[in-house]
Amino acid sequence: MWRAPQRASHDKGGKAAIAYDIGGRGDQSFNDAAFAGLEKAEKELDIEGNDAEPSEGEGDPDKIQRLTALARAGNNPVIGVGFAYAPAIAEVAPKFPKTTFGLIDDTSKTGPNIANLVFNEEQGSYLAGVAAAKVTKTNTVGFIGGVETPLIKKFEAGFVQGVKDTKKGVNVKVQYLTQPPDFGGFSKPDLGKAAAQGQLDAGADVIYAAAGLAGSGSIEATAKAGKWAIGVDSDQYNQKGLAAYKDQILTSVTKNVSGAVFNLIKSVQDGKPQTGEVRYGLEDEGVALSRSNPAFTKMTDVIAAVDKAKADIAAGKIKVKTAP
């Protein structure tokens, strides 16, 4: 079931749509970043933006139906937010050859009218690992992954490597909330909260969660314990839904999902639609470590270590792993 927001029609700029991943809009993270890109395109490119929510426990047929409806309604591009849309886009894209389909976080399905919008998550996560290793007082830090998939393993790999390269004796506790085909680990804050509490009880004083909406539960538990949380995808220090915990959000590993969405929409409007792999990394701020929390920017030795690591990755001196 997709819904078109009641927004003004903009014939000049055309129409574009995003179909949300698990957790939907309001996750303070991945989906909200995609929506920000759509909003920016509405304002700057004079397009009509439409979006569609997922349903609980849905399968590929639901996604196929949603993407088909969005394409039939004249949206171009139609963007699937998350790797879960890969099979559906592979099915629908050939049926609408004049429509560009964006697939975020996946390169497994390709086609002449498919743009694979992907990120070097491991690079941003490495920088988070550097920061975590520098600020931990207990020499124990935590990583919480929403669902144990190759994508989330990239976050884990970079984070653990960044921690170990910075301070060898630090113990990194790793926990995944669910295993495929159960993707509830991206949508249930209580799971994130319980996992974070377990890591806190085991001595962790910095916890990095890559878990979508479930990550907000991790941030809540960590902040209430007076320990450091590291956010993901969006700059979670600035997310209104997490305002009560912002002082304990040290930093966030941001992915410029909003920029990727905007750039794809603009490319279609310009008549030169992006296709194939479109990759974003540290060098173009496609992934980054946010600096919104003043407490973080005051840690000059931590910032210096992060900046050095960023430069070394860019120079090829540090090769960041994409799997643990």
Side-chain angles (χ1 to χ4, degrees), residues 69-93:
L70 290 170
R72 276 192 185 139
N75 293 287
N76 188 19
V78 173
I79 302 171
V81 183
F83 60 81
Y85 277 96
I89 281 180
E91 174 88 15
V92 177

Side-chain angles (χ1 to χ4, degrees), residues 175-324:
Q175 183 174 347
Y176 285 88
L177 303 179
T178 61
Q179 300 288 327
D182 179 359
F183 287 89
F186 288 135
S187 62
K188 297 175 180 173
D190 286 352
L191 292 179
K193 190 186 295 187
Q197 195 56 58
Q199 293 187 344
L200 291 163
D201 292 345
D205 61 353
V206 187
I207 297 178
Y208 172 38
L213 184 59
S216 62
S218 168
I219 288 173
E220 179 186 343
T222 306
K224 283 183 175 176
K227 306 304 182 186
W228 289 119
I230 296 177
V232 79
D233 291 339
S234 297
D235 182 355
Q236 296 194 295
Y237 178 88
N238 287 326
Q239 290 291 328
K240 289 177 183 174
L242 297 170
Y245 316 116
K246 65 190 293 184
D247 290 347
Q248 293 304 128
I249 300 175
L250 181 71
T251 180
S252 297
V253 176
T254 59
K255 285 168 62 170
N256 193 14
V257 175
S258 60
V261 167
F262 177 85
N263 291 343
L264 181 60
I265 294 170
K266 187 173 189 305
S267 77
V268 171
Q269 191 185 61
D270 290 345
K272 298 174 183 174
Q274 293 176 332
T275 59
E277 182 178 303
V278 184
R279 182 168 292 278
Y280 294 88
L282 277 180
E283 67 284 349
D284 55 11
E285 297 294 314
V287 294
L289 206 61
S290 65
R291 299 188 178 185
S292 299
N293 191 336
F296 182 53
T297 54
K298 286 175 186 170
M299 300 174 182
T300 51
D301 60 326
V302 181
I303 296 293
V306 167
D307 284 344
K308 183 178 187 304
K310 181 180 177 181
D312 285 348
I313 292 170
K317 291 180 184 174
I318 294 174
K319 303 283 189 195
V320 186
K321 299 173 186 175
T322 56

Side-chain angles (χ1 to χ4, degrees), residues 107-172:
T107 56
S108 69
K109 307 296 184 184
T110 59
N113 59 331
I114 298 174
N116 304 90
L117 311 175
V118 290
F119 302 82
N120 293 333
E121 295 91 354
E122 72 282 357
Q123 295 179 347
S125 297
Y126 184 97
L127 301 185
V130 172
K134 294 289 285 183
V135 302
T136 181
K137 293 186 170 72
T138 62
N139 282 343
T140 301
V141 302
F143 172 81
I144 296 171
V147 184
E148 193 165 359
T149 64
L151 174 71
I152 306 302
K153 296 289 252 185
K154 286 173 69 181
F155 288 88
E156 177 198 341
F159 181 68
V160 172
Q161 186 182 345
V163 170
K164 299 294 186 184
D165 284 359
T166 305
K167 197 174 179 184
K168 286 192 168 38
V170 176
N171 178 25
V172 185

